Amino acid sequence: MKKQERQRYIKRLLSSNEIERQEDFVSLLRAENIEVTQATISRDIKDMQLVKVPSATGGYHYSMPVQKQMDTEKKLKRTLRDAYVSYATQDKFVLIKVLPGNGPALATLIEAMHYEEVFGTIGDDATVLIICKSLAMTLDLQQRLQRLLNDN
Amino acid sequence: MKKQERQRYIKRLLSSNEIERQEDFVSLLRAENIEVTQATISRDIKDMQLVKVPSATGGYHYSMPVQKQMDTEKKLKRTLRDAYVSYATQDKFVLIKVLPGNGPALATLIEAMHYEEVFGTIGDDATVLIICKSLAMTLDLQQRLQRLLNDN
DNA sequence: TCAGGTCTTTCATATTTATGCAAAATAGCT
DNA sequence: AGCTATTTTGCATAAATATGAAAGACCTGA
């Protein structure tokens, strides 16, 4: 597929070059014989959740998304997949049902991730209640959990 | 001082609201009786190294800088301050002289920080050599080290 | 207090990034 | 293949962000 491949290139470019503007991606990709416009790059960046970081020396550059503590995340993913039963949302709450005994562990892991969306977490034997900071953030968090549950 | 205070407010706003555009900061600050323009916010954001993150639900929002591994960073700071003797740069290299015995530890700590600027690190008894990915990145790294050495 | 430096802010605007919409490409179906 | 639905892209442009230059604020020392 076309898009995937391009995004792979983008990822590669990220680590080896100093990329200050989206147009830089366009140029660099052109050099690799991949024709794209800035518009597409903008969408790729959104997809890949890349960020434009102000660097210490006064410039800006694009960079990979905030690396979560991959350890905790890995554990979280496993726990989630192992113990997950169901979930529901209402207002700023996400309520996750898990197999008995897994609530507290999951709650702790979610805490440990320091997701900016979450205001607080509490878990009993088989339930985890996550309170988000806003409605929008509740959606974000859902997405995140969704991903952990399904993706790769 | 004025700027400091505003930036403190900004930091506070970050965690409680969904901020999608710099103008949002302007509005929110205005609500707190702080008058600023978007231009100033843009500069604050650069100062504070905030980033605009594409969020899972399709929007964007500003967020705190990539969280440093505060543990390692603290150790690094201490080691650096305790053992630092001198440093020099040339091309993509930063060479740090430290008190005898501290080289390897410092090198390891720097590795552990996973600074995106650094390509690799090697340390002997009293020296650490850091190889950066580019000239610009060498400057960035210097800045970083400078800060660790001097700031707060 | 004033002159001269430094820092900070605004204004105006250049630069960069995001996006609606239509076209093109890609995938599924049958 | 042929047709329809979905995804992806480019174009044009809107929206958002960054920045030079001038003005104002704030030091500091004489």
Side-chain angles (χ1 to χ4, degrees), chain A residues 17-139:
Chain A
N17 304 64
E18 286 273 322
I19 298 178
E20 307 186 313
R21 304 188 316 297
Q22 299 187 352
E23 290 290 355
D24 293 347
F25 280 113
V26 176
S27 316
L28 288 167
L29 286 172
R30 183 157 299 154
E32 309 233 27
N33 261 57
I34 301 175
E35 290 293 322
V36 262
T37 56
Q38 173 269 323
T40 299
I41 296 295
S42 171
R43 293 190 180 102
D44 282 340
I45 282 170
K46 192 175 191 173
D47 262 26
M48 306 169 70
Q49 299 188 248
L50 302 183
V51 295
K52 190 183 178 189
V53 191
S55 58
T57 40
Y60 293 85
H61 67 276
Y62 279 93
S63 149
M64 293 290 267
V66 184
Q67 266 198 324
K68 294 298 167 189
Q69 294 104 307
M70 254 320 254
D71 278 351
T72 333
E73 187 172 54
K74 218 171 270 174
K75 277 185 233 155
L76 173 58
K77 200 183 282 186
R78 181 156 36 229
T79 309
L80 207 50
R81 289 179 183 189
D82 286 356
Y84 175 80
V85 173
S86 74
Y87 90 94
T89 358
Q90 178 167 94
D91 302 330
K92 299 180 190 164
F93 309 119
V94 178
L95 190 75
I96 307 179
K97 289 279 175 197
V98 290
L99 295 176
N102 293 80
L106 185 60
T108 308
L109 286 171
I110 291 174
E111 283 284 7
M113 290 298 288
H114 291 108
Y115 290 134
E116 59 186 338
E117 296 95 330
V118 348
F119 168 76
T121 311
I122 185 171
D124 74 4
D125 195 57
T127 315
V128 175
L129 175 69
I130 308 166
I131 307 169
C132 294
K133 289 187 188 154
S134 72
L135 282 183
M137 288 187 169
T138 311
L139 289 177

Side-chain angles (χ1 to χ4, degrees), chain B residues 73-87:
Chain B
E73 187 171 55
K74 217 171 269 174
K75 279 186 232 154
L76 173 58
K77 199 182 281 185
R78 182 156 35 229
T79 310
L80 207 50
R81 290 180 182 188
D82 286 356
Y84 175 81
V85 174
S86 72
Y87 89 95

Side-chain angles (χ1 to χ4, degrees), chain B residues 4-19:
Chain B
Q4 308 295 49
E5 197 196 351
R6 186 185 54 244
Q7 296 198 350
R8 230 188 310 288
Y9 269 93
I10 289 179
K11 211 176 279 181
R12 196 152 341 151
L13 287 175
L14 262 190
S15 52
S16 50
N17 305 64
E18 286 273 322
I19 297 179

